[in-house]
């Protein structure tokens, strides 16, 4: 059996262990320390736009804290892109709030601005303005931020950007994660950079950042003994993990280059194939890190389905995966409201993510090309 080609696997740059060693040498083996501060500073400089970053245990915990800082509580409604990973929506339920799911649009596969506005109007008409909007930059593709920001402003609703998959992506030159009232990042094992597990909350001001750190470290009042006036969480990032992050930041832009080259490879591979579209930027305003490259297959034109292609790849020990199953179709969210015209449903039925790691080798691409060429001949 040939070696497995993964969808997206960790890709170390070589500098990570130096920072981890430093943590051991100085005995900063704790959920705070110079690596945590250093990684936060690296991220603040990278994301820009005066962002203030708090490093946390995961992207999911970052979203949870964003909702708490946004004042989301029991009984509130939160609008969330339906086409996403469940981690975008789960923290809404942690807060006792109710998710309302919004469909995608065709250009970016992200939140459809008109379905979003329809949902808001509908909620307001029923006497209940939603508390927050969670927009996702899926697979690294920036969402239609001009429209979505305008809606968040018009209705004065807090905007949370789930940029877990989009570190390094930009829209009109501005980094994803820096548009909303809050942004979240993930450094899980298969993301564009990884710390083995971890995440970050991007805030607009130091006050929010400090509040997030306070909540993430068990909400200890500022007195010598342990005293608590609020419910806290254990969500802070460890100094060991942050060391890996600092090393990964040294290679982030290089790795984005590799991921973008993968997307180019797939675009060329499918260039003259009728019925297959590769997700790519619709205009030069968008710059995707192309965390994952994905295609939509029109079976009527190709004669094979996305499942046929997935199985053909699997047969050669090559991993691929259907697109995220929309949240409004998930058993756990089946009773939630949904606005849209089933764009996300069709994307899910016909879409496939292809191997996209920044460590994909020339030989790996040849093997992928061979399987795909056989299918489309
Ligand atoms: C990975 C991911 C998350 C969650 O991040 P974790 O660090 O795994 O908790 C949230 N949203 C999206 C879209 C993701 O892909």
């Amino acid at each position: 059996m040939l070696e497995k080609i993964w969808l997206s696997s960790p890709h170390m740059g070589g500098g990570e262990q130096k920072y981890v060693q430093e943590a051991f040498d100085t005995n900063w083996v704790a959920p705070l320390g110079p690596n945590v501060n250093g990684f936060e500073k690296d991220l603040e400089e990278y994301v820009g736009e005066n962002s203030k970053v708090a490093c946390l245990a995961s992207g999911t915990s970052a979203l949870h804290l964003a909702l708490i800082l946004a004042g989301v509580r029991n009984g509130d409604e939160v609008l969330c892109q339906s086409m996403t990973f469940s981690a975008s929506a789960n923290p809404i339920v942690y807060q006792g709030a109710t998710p309302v799911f919004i469909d995608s649009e065709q250009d970016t596969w992200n939140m459809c601005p008109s379905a979003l506005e329809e949902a808001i109007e509908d909620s307001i008409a029923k006497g209940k303005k939603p508390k927050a909007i969670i927009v996702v930059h899926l697979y690294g593709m920036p969402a239609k931020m001009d429209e979505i920001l305008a809606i968040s402003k018009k209705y004065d609703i807090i905007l949370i950007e789930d940029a877990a998959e989009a570190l390094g992506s930009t829209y009109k030159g501005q980094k994803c994660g820096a548009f909303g009232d809050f942004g979240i990042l993930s450094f899980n094992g298969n993301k564009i950079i990884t710390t083995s597990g971890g995440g970050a909350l991007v805030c607009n001001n130091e006050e929010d950042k400090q509040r997030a750190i306070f909540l993430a470290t068990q909400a200890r009042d500022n007195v010598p003994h342990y005293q608590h006036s609020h419910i806290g969480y254990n969500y802070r990032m460890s100094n060991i993990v942050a060391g890996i992050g600092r090393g990964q930041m040294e290679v982030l832009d290089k790795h984005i280059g590799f991921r973008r080259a993968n997307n180019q490879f797939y675009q060329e591979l499918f260039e003259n194939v009728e019925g297959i579209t590769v997700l790519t930027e619709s205009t030069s305003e968008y710059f995707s890190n192309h965390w994952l490259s994905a295609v939509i297959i029109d079976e009527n034109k190709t004669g094979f389905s996305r499942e046929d292609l997935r199985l053909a790849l699997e047969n050669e020990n090559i991993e691929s995966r259907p697109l995220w199953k929309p949240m409004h179709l998930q058993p756990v969210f089946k009773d939630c409201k949904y606005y849209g015209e089933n764009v996300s449903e069709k994307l899910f039925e016909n879409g496939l993510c292809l191997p996209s790691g920044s460590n994909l080798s020339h030989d790996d691409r040849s093997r992928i090309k061979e399987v795909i060429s056989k299918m489309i001949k």
Side-chain angles (χ1 to χ4, degrees), residues 80-375:
C80 181
Q81 184 167 320
S82 185
M83 181 100 187
T84 186
F85 179 43
S86 66
S88 304
N90 285 337
I92 301 169
V93 182
Y94 302 166
Q95 279 309 95
T98 308
V100 174
F101 292 112
I102 310 295
D103 201 8
S104 294
E105 45 77 24
Q106 291 286 357
D107 294 343
T108 69
W109 300 0
N110 291 312
M111 187 177 265
C112 171
S114 55
L116 173 65
E117 190 153 22
E118 189 196 334
I120 295 171
E121 290 282 357
D122 208 29
S123 291
I124 290 173
K126 290 183 181 124
K128 188 163 199 163
K129 193 170 95 171
K131 239 353 194 325
I133 300 166
I134 300 174
V135 62
V136 189
H137 308 293
L138 220 55
Y139 306 123
M141 183 62 69
K144 297 203 156 167
M145 289 315 291
D146 271 356
E147 286 96 324
I148 288 166
L149 275 165
I151 292 169
S152 126
K153 246 198 179 123
K154 176 176 170 189
Y155 294 95
D156 191 24
I157 302 174
I158 286 178
L159 182 64
I160 300 169
E161 256 185 291
D162 181 344
E165 304 177 359
L167 180 59
S169 298
T170 66
Y171 174 71
K172 293 189 173 175
Q174 185 173 327
K175 291 258 166 53
C176 288
F179 288 92
D181 297 284
F182 301 99
I184 74 108
L185 302 169
S186 168
F187 315 114
N188 210 332
N190 65 354
K191 297 289 156 72
I192 193 130
I193 63 169
T194 178
T195 60
S196 70
L201 178 67
V202 184
C203 305
N204 285 337
N205 56 68
E206 187 63 29
E207 200 186 325
D208 283 348
K209 171 180 170 172
Q210 291 309 326
R211 185 76 187 160
I213 292 172
F214 168 77
L215 292 171
T217 50
Q218 305 290 21
R220 285 181 62 188
D221 291 346
N222 192 17
V223 290
H225 53 275
Y226 278 88
Q227 177 175 295
H228 308 274
S229 310
H230 297 271
I231 292 296
Y233 302 86
N234 182 5
Y235 279 175
R236 196 70 163 131
M237 178 181 275
S238 108
N239 195 53
I240 303 289
V241 153
I244 306 174
R246 288 179 87 182
Q248 287 271 277
M249 287 305 285
E250 294 171 357
V251 291
L252 171 57
D253 279 332
K254 192 169 86 182
H255 287 190
I256 289 174
F258 293 145
R259 301 241 181 198
R260 289 180 54 81
N262 290 333
N263 191 263
Q264 193 62 37
F265 161 73
Y266 289 117
Q267 280 185 58
E268 284 163 20
L269 191 56
F270 294 112
E271 196 166 26
N272 297 312
V273 183
E274 218 202 330
I276 299 190
T277 359
V278 181
L279 174 65
T280 193
E281 292 93 340
S282 55
T283 72
S284 60
E285 291 172 340
Y286 297 86
F287 176 92
S288 171
N289 67 14
H290 286 301
W291 170 59
L292 293 186
S293 284
V295 289
I296 296 295
I297 300 176
D298 181 347
E299 192 178 353
N300 295 326
K301 291 181 180 153
T302 56
F304 60 87
S305 66
R306 78 106 200 276
E307 197 53 14
D308 295 331
L309 179 57
R310 194 186 70 78
L311 292 171
L313 288 163
E314 190 176 82
N315 219 23
E316 297 298 322
N317 211 17
I318 301 168
E319 186 183 30
S320 67
R321 192 179 297 150
L323 301 194
W324 298 124
K325 179 171 180 169
M327 290 304 113
H328 72 278
L329 302 178
Q330 297 287 353
V332 71
F333 293 125
K334 67 179 185 333
D335 298 327
C336 293
K337 280 196 279 184
Y338 160 78
Y339 290 84
E341 291 168 354
N342 295 319
V343 173
S344 58
E345 201 158 343
K346 290 191 191 85
L347 290 170
F348 168 63
E349 276 165 21
N350 303 309
L352 191 68
C353 295
L354 297 168
S356 303
S358 46
N359 48 6
L360 211 62
S361 70
H362 183 76
D363 284 353
D364 293 340
R365 284 192 192 171
S366 303
R367 280 174 56 196
I368 294 163
K369 187 173 177 172
E370 200 178 305
V371 176
I372 291 176
S373 300
K374 260 190 224 155
M375 299 283 296

